[in-house]
Amino acid sequence: MTDLRDMFTREFWDERYSSSHRIWSGKPNLRLVDQVEALAPGTALDVGCGEGADAVWLAGRGWTVTGVDVSGVALERAAEHAHEAGVGERTSWLRADVFAGDPLPGGFDLVSAAYVHVPPEDFEAVYTALAGSVAPGGSLVVLAHHPDDVHTGLRNTELSHLLFGPDAVTSLLDPAVWEVVAAETPTRPITHEGRDIDVTDTVVRAVRRA
């Protein structure tokens, strides 16, 4: 059996991305679109960018985006996607292992992390580092699978401890420094193996006070 810690290594994700021509849909996360589409473009850091769908969407809306991922294979695909979409000049890519404590660049108008699930013992360090990359006046957007999804049968029960709600993020944000704009658990319908299921997302958006 694979050690669960192995799931957070470069080797694991390089192998997973190499096993298929494409892992994800290539479309931006709709929850991110909802939270960001009204914001004025600036600089963005997309942590856990995968094959680059969110970063490419942001760049297409005028953002200058740095995509971060642990997998070099994913980043190669992301760069290709950006080039094909005509936004290569507004994107750059950084291979970094946030689980291992690799430093992140700072001073961004937007820092996003979509479905970046980490071991509970690493959660505070990882998400504190993400928040630290936001410039004064900038936004932090975090999306995740909510613990309620355990009851849908969609999630690997061995990984259920990685799911989290909004409080896990907002509890790390000093109210003197941050204004929490959204801390929500919306549901969305999907069809899986012939079943109609409502899945629950965690959505957090917070603005760093200027």
Side-chain angles (χ1 to χ4, degrees):
M1 178 179 292
T2 300
D3 188 319
L4 293 183
R5 295 294 303 187
D6 292 341
M7 293 183 58
F8 302 95
T9 64
R10 297 181 179 188
E11 293 78 12
F12 177 92
W13 285 102
D14 279 345
E15 182 177 349
R16 182 175 181 190
Y17 280 108
S18 296
S19 69
S20 176
H21 175 67
R22 173 179 286 177
I23 297 294
W24 313 117
S25 70
K27 300 178 181 178
N29 284 291
L30 293 181
R31 300 298 188 199
L32 177 71
V33 173
D34 289 344
Q35 293 299 318
V36 172
E37 61 182 347
L39 299 181
T43 57
L45 184 71
D46 180 12
V47 180
C49 66
E51 293 163 322
D54 288 349
V56 169
W57 178 81
L58 287 165
R61 296 184 65 83
W63 292 81
T64 300
V65 188
T66 300
V68 176
D69 204 274
V70 70
S71 170
V73 177
L75 293 174
E76 289 174 3
R77 293 185 184 176
E80 182 179 355
H81 185 183
H83 176 73
E84 292 173 349
V87 295
E89 74 284 357
R90 288 201 294 275
T91 57
S92 59
W93 311 97
L94 173 65
R95 184 171 182 174
D97 186 347
V98 296
F99 309 117
D102 286 353
L104 293 172
F108 290 88
D109 300 309
L110 169 67
V111 174
S112 68
Y115 305 96
V116 177
H117 293 271
V118 305
E121 61 269 25
D122 298 326
F123 189 92
E124 181 175 355
V126 169
Y127 277 90
T128 297
L130 265 62
S133 292
V134 181
S139 295
L140 172 70
V141 175
V142 176
L143 312 176
H145 299 299
H146 191 273
D148 284 353
D149 275 4
V150 170
H151 306 297
T152 65
L154 292 175
R155 312 297 172 208
N156 184 337
T157 55
E158 292 186 1
L159 304 179
S160 61
H161 63 295
L162 304 182
L163 310 184
F164 60 91
D167 287 353
V169 178
T170 58
S171 65
L172 302 177
L173 304 178
D174 183 348
V177 179
W178 294 90
E179 177 188 358
V180 176
V181 178
E184 304 167 351
T185 57
T187 60
R188 53 189 166 90
I190 69 167
T191 300
H192 177 73
E193 296 181 348
R195 293 189 300 144
D196 293 329
I197 302 171
D198 286 334
V199 298
T200 305
D201 293 311
T202 288
V203 178
V204 174
R205 180 162 67 93
V207 176
R208 186 166 190 163
R209 301 183 192 277

